[in-house]
Amino acid sequence: MSGVKDMKLAGSGRMKIEWAEAHMPVLMRIREGFRRDKPLKGVSVGFALHVTKETAVLVETLIAGGAKVAITGCNPLSTQDDVAAALAKNKVDVYAWRGETNEEYYENINRVLDHKPNITIDDGADLIFTVHKERTELLKDIRGGCEETTTGIIRLRAMENDGALKYPVMATNDADTKHMFDNHYGTGQSTIDGILRATSILFAGKVVVVGGYGWCGRGVAARAKGMGSQVIVTEVDPILALRAAMDGYMVMPMDDAACMGDIFITVTGDRDIIGKRHFEKMKSGAVVCNSGHFNIEIDIPELEKMSKGKKTIRDNVERYDLKDGRHIYLLAEGRLVNLAAAEGHPSEVMDMSFANQSMACRYIQDNDLEAGVHMIPREVDEMVARMKLETMGVRIDELTPEQRKYLESWEEGT
Ligand code: NRN
């Protein structure tokens, strides 16, 4: 028995899923192979991923491969209710709705686990973490897991280092055809998309402060620059900061950027990037949002304490009225704005991310892996890239035998 907001939304959700299918040619080709080979026959897969139109294409690809799927979201605000209804109508066990309380969120994680998954697919590691913390009786049935995002990989590597990780997990995020594209081009575009859908403000001429210059931050900075903003980057990593400076951005501590920014975007994966002393310096009317996985990057309790009140003035826009008369706009309750206020990354990049996810599930089925974090095999990464190039009509050169020999030799010098 699924738990979704409104089954009447299924028709609209199905149209969104079909739109995503039309823009995910690599995954749809993998789906043909899965339908033929049934590599996941009889396998129970438990998902905690953002329930979006693209995730639905992944779900229905694994089902074509013979899997039985139960799914919940990985953020209380990112579920697309019409997509959830469409999946439920297609006999998927769905436990997700936009606006879940934290309690409902973890109840839904456990409802997925009640299906006794053999493979877990996470975005942020809440599902696998719950198995290890509260549902250890399920470990005997779990063959492996997959992790979609940087934040989840960090958590899993920490678990592995502590010897706490009890089953093999594929680091899908670390595949080149995932993070070099999804994290960079996907987060870049979808973050701007989320801010525009929430506020429809002009970027050109504004000062945009981007906290974090990893794969995601680089994409966000580039897209904000493309919109005509003056971009300031803040970082703690001297090498990434150097790269931002040489990419032409102003680089400075958040303490200095706080009084300059019109729009603030945190995308670091760490906590407390924007806090009290920054709010104290901000212009009245500054827009603050987060595109990192968890909503800990902006110190919202501190903002609450500094305010005499707050008011939702647009969908996903809360105006905080500060005691000193200024006001600050917070988007999507500080949760990842690209999925909470828009539809997440475009289908074309999720095509590659989820091609990796589906191949990772097949790899788990075909290999007896040790407990720990495992990389996506290079040949899978390159296969995804070649398939994507083909769908884009792009042809590339091939190494001649002499070139390959040269690259593998050391004898030849000047
Ligand atoms: N449209 C989407 N569907 C989407 N956009 C971004 N993500 C999505 N998942 C499903 C995830 C990316 O892969 C959010 C994760 O944090 C990131 O790794």
Side-chain angles (χ1 to χ4, degrees):
M1 173 60 186
S2 286
V4 297
K5 182 154 286 178
D6 181 355
M7 283 303 291
K8 291 194 293 300
L9 299 173
S12 148
R14 182 50 55 187
M15 285 197 288
K16 277 167 78 171
I17 294 168
E18 287 169 3
W19 178 253
E21 287 174 346
H23 295 84
M24 299 176 85
V26 175
L27 190 54
M28 294 306 281
R29 263 185 56 191
I30 289 173
R31 179 183 293 186
E32 287 162 31
F34 270 39
R35 201 186 303 283
R36 184 188 60 239
D37 307 340
K38 293 282 184 278
L40 301 175
K41 188 168 177 52
V43 177
S44 165
V45 182
F47 275 73
L49 245 56
H50 299 289
V51 182
T52 66
K53 60 187 186 298
E54 291 77 16
T55 297
V57 181
L58 172 61
V59 166
E60 293 182 339
T61 297
L62 300 194
I63 290 170
K68 180 96 179 65
V69 172
I71 180 169
T72 184
C74 61
N75 183 288
L77 290 181
S78 63
T79 292
Q80 295 166 14
D81 290 319
D82 52 0
V83 170
L87 284 174
K89 189 170 182 185
N90 189 25
K91 309 277 182 290
V92 178
D93 294 304
V94 184
Y95 310 100
W97 52 90
R98 191 183 196 285
E100 292 165 4
T101 64
N102 259 12
E103 190 184 353
E104 288 167 336
Y105 175 79
Y106 281 99
E107 278 167 7
N108 286 335
I109 291 263
N110 276 291
R111 291 167 82 182
V112 165
L113 293 176
D114 291 344
H115 287 263
K116 296 186 176 12
N118 307 119
I119 293 178
T120 58
I121 303 187
D122 258 306
D123 181 321
D126 281 340
L127 199 66
I128 189 170
F129 190 67
T130 303
V131 169
H132 281 77
K133 211 171 69 168
E134 300 165 19
R135 304 290 300 269
T136 51
E137 79 283 0
L138 297 172
L139 285 168
K140 65 186 183 327
D141 298 319
I142 296 178
R143 191 174 169 76
C146 308
E147 173 54 51
E148 174 74 10
T149 203
T150 313
T151 297
I153 301 289
I154 293 168
R155 266 181 115 181
L156 289 166
R157 290 206 192 283
M159 282 177 77
E160 183 181 41
N161 291 339
D162 287 350
L165 187 56
K166 301 292 184 224
Y167 61 85
V169 186
M170 302 303 295
T172 305
N173 177 77
D174 292 0
D176 284 347
T177 48
K178 194 274 177 183
H179 69 269
M180 288 174 71
F181 302 91
D182 170 317
N183 300 25
H184 187 78
Y185 304 103
T187 310
Q189 177 165 324
S190 63
T191 298
I192 303 295
D193 187 8
I195 296 169
L196 287 177
R197 293 197 201 196
T199 67
S200 80
I201 56 175
L202 180 73
F203 270 77
K206 295 274 175 60
V207 175
V208 174
V209 180
V210 179
Y213 204 67
W215 281 102
C216 296
R218 282 201 290 281
V220 173
R223 297 302 169 270
K225 182 180 173 186
M227 297 283 285
S229 311
Q230 299 170 57
V231 177
I232 296 173
V233 169
T234 71
E235 250 296 346
V236 291
D237 180 316
I239 295 167
L240 293 178
L242 187 60
R243 180 159 182 184
M246 294 197 179
D247 284 346
Y249 302 111
M250 291 180 280
V251 180
M252 63 184 77
M254 187 62 82
D255 280 342
D256 298 346
C259 63
M260 299 168 70
D262 298 302
I263 302 170
F264 294 81
I265 305 167
T266 59
V267 59
T268 70
D270 203 348
R271 61 173 304 119
D272 304 334
I273 307 309
I274 292 181
K276 180 176 188 329
R277 66 182 193 280
H278 308 121
F279 293 131
E280 285 171 344
K281 296 175 182 169
M282 280 181 189
K283 301 175 191 174
S284 188
V287 172
V288 181
C289 67
N290 164 57
S291 223
H293 181 77
F294 290 123
N295 70 328
I296 38 85
E297 305 211 19
I298 300 164
D299 188 346
I300 299 162
E302 193 51 54
L303 183 58
E304 303 270 0
K305 272 195 274 184
M306 294 171 67
S307 302
K308 56 190 177 210
K310 69 178 177 181
K311 185 173 188 308
T312 297
I313 56 168
R314 286 172 64 97
D315 285 350
N316 296 305
V317 183
E318 291 171 299
R319 189 190 66 218
Y320 280 78
D321 297 316
L322 305 188
K323 291 168 184 165
D324 64 11
R326 287 176 303 130
H327 57 271
I328 287 172
Y329 298 114
L330 177 70
L331 305 190
E333 301 171 21
R335 294 192 181 280
L336 67 184
V337 68
N338 58 340
L339 282 139
E343 298 173 48
H345 302 350
S347 305
E348 293 90 333
V349 282
M350 297 314 299
D351 189 20
M352 291 192 280
S353 304
F354 288 166
N356 277 293
Q357 284 288 23
S358 55
M359 296 309 292
C361 290
R362 184 164 200 164
Y363 187 76
I364 288 168
Q365 276 308 104
D366 294 349
N367 295 274
D368 295 325
L369 302 170
E370 294 292 313
V373 180
H374 296 259
M375 291 300 285
I376 296 282
R378 184 74 194 164
E379 60 270 18
V380 170
D381 222 340
E382 289 191 0
M383 177 202 78
V384 170
R386 290 188 187 282
M387 288 172 76
K388 192 66 177 180
L389 284 170
E390 195 181 325
T391 65
M392 295 164 69
V394 173
R395 294 174 51 245
I396 60 174
D397 288 326
E398 293 283 327
L399 280 177
T400 63
E402 294 73 20
Q403 287 174 322
R404 186 175 300 282
K405 182 172 178 301
Y406 177 79
L407 290 176
E408 289 160 358
S409 73
W410 53 274
E411 292 87 353
E412 286 182 60
T414 46

